[in-house]
Amino acid sequence: MFNKLNFKIFTLFIVSVLLLSSCIEDDGTESSGKFSMDPFSQEVSVESEEASDVVSEESVSDNESDFSKDENVSENEFTSEDEESLDEVSVETSNGETASNKLQLCVPDDEYMNFEYKEVTFDGTIDGIINELAKEKLFSEDVKVNSFEIEGDTIRIDLSAEFGFAIATGTLAERMILGSFVNTLVLYYDVKQVYFTVDGDFFDSGHVYYDFPLSFTEALG
């Protein structure tokens, strides 16, 4: 009796210990899983969001930097091209003048029989043209422009009395001086004819009464 009872008790004890051990392992595994998974997942999620924000900020910063560089390069290229083309571009202003500073100057040859042309640099104004012609001894440097305007394909210009004194010196000189003057204006302003007056009146040279427009004049010989 004693041996059988002891054997049953011993068997129950072993089974209880095994069951208890199994329950403890299950609880520990479940508890450990809950403890390790949730904080890790939250930490990974937070770190991922922070990393995403950092990447987005760096991407925006890089894009802004690239755009700024492109903008500076574009501005520098335009400035460089613009400076190189200043001597070649002709821009019409509100008073009919242009900003180009290249002028095809028409002047008589040494025999006063033909016209010659040479390119000069000047300030792009009608006063500048008169000054360039005066340098060629066509008339006095005292000649002044009283008024100047362009109407369609016609220039109307009024000059001081010194211009009249210069052209009233003989038929040949009169034609060559006026031809140089008119040809230079026609070529530069791209018009067809020029009305000129002296101190507000049509000019009478003693040979011709200039109440009509003058056009481009070919060489005499």
Side-chain angles (χ1 to χ4, degrees):
M1 291 294 292
F2 179 76
N3 290 334
K4 290 182 178 180
L5 180 61
N6 288 340
F7 178 76
K8 289 181 179 180
I9 292 172
F10 178 77
T11 301
L12 289 172
F13 174 77
I14 294 299
V15 170
S16 298
V17 169
L18 292 174
L19 291 175
L20 181 60
S21 175
S22 176
C23 290
I24 290 173
E25 288 179 358
D26 291 340
D27 290 341
T29 302
E30 182 178 0
S31 175
S32 175
K34 290 181 180 179
F35 176 80
S36 62
M37 287 297 293
D38 290 346
F40 177 77
S41 297
Q42 292 177 358
E43 183 177 356
V44 169
S45 177
V46 170
E47 290 178 353
S48 297
E49 291 178 357
E50 292 177 349
S52 177
D53 291 341
V54 170
V55 170
S56 297
E57 291 176 358
E58 291 178 350
S59 177
V60 170
S61 177
D62 291 342
N63 289 338
E64 289 177 349
S65 177
D66 291 341
F67 177 77
S68 177
K69 291 178 180 178
D70 292 341
E71 208 172 28
N72 290 336
V73 169
S74 178
E75 182 178 355
N76 290 336
E77 288 177 352
F78 174 77
T79 301
S80 177
E81 292 176 359
D82 185 56
E83 289 177 352
E84 291 175 357
S85 63
L86 281 178
D87 290 343
E88 300 176 359
V89 176
S90 178
V91 179
E92 186 172 345
T93 61
S94 59
N95 64 352
E97 296 181 359
T98 63
S100 172
N101 57 1
K102 297 295 185 182
L103 175 67
Q104 291 295 322
L105 193 67
C106 177
V107 296
D109 64 7
D110 293 337
E111 288 85 27
Y112 260 57
M113 293 297 295
N114 295 292
F115 293 116
E116 298 177 343
Y117 294 88
K118 58 182 180 180
E119 186 178 88
V120 298
T121 301
F122 77 122
D123 63 7
T125 67
I126 184 59
D127 290 320
I129 293 177
I130 297 302
N131 290 338
E132 292 299 325
L133 291 170
K135 291 177 183 178
E136 299 296 326
K137 309 301 181 183
L138 295 181
F139 41 73
S140 168
E141 294 182 357
D142 295 329
V143 172
K144 304 298 180 186
V145 178
N146 297 326
S147 65
F148 174 83
E149 62 180 344
I150 298 176
E151 297 178 353
D153 60 1
T154 301
I155 288 176
R156 294 183 181 276
I157 183 170
D158 184 59
L159 301 159
S160 62
E162 289 80 8
F163 184 77
F165 300 155
I167 62 177
T169 55
T171 305
L172 182 58
E174 180 178 326
R175 179 171 180 178
M176 296 304 290
I177 292 172
L178 284 177
S180 298
F181 168 73
V182 172
N183 288 0
T184 299
L185 294 185
V186 167
L187 290 175
Y188 184 73
Y189 290 107
D190 192 23
V191 296
K192 293 182 178 180
Q193 55 189 9
V194 177
Y195 269 105
F196 83 93
T197 53
V198 175
D199 284 342
D201 297 321
F202 293 120
F203 182 71
D204 186 355
S205 68
H207 305 99
V208 181
Y209 182 67
Y210 292 98
D211 59 351
F212 55 89
L214 300 177
S215 302
F216 190 88
T217 302
E218 299 291 344
L220 299 180

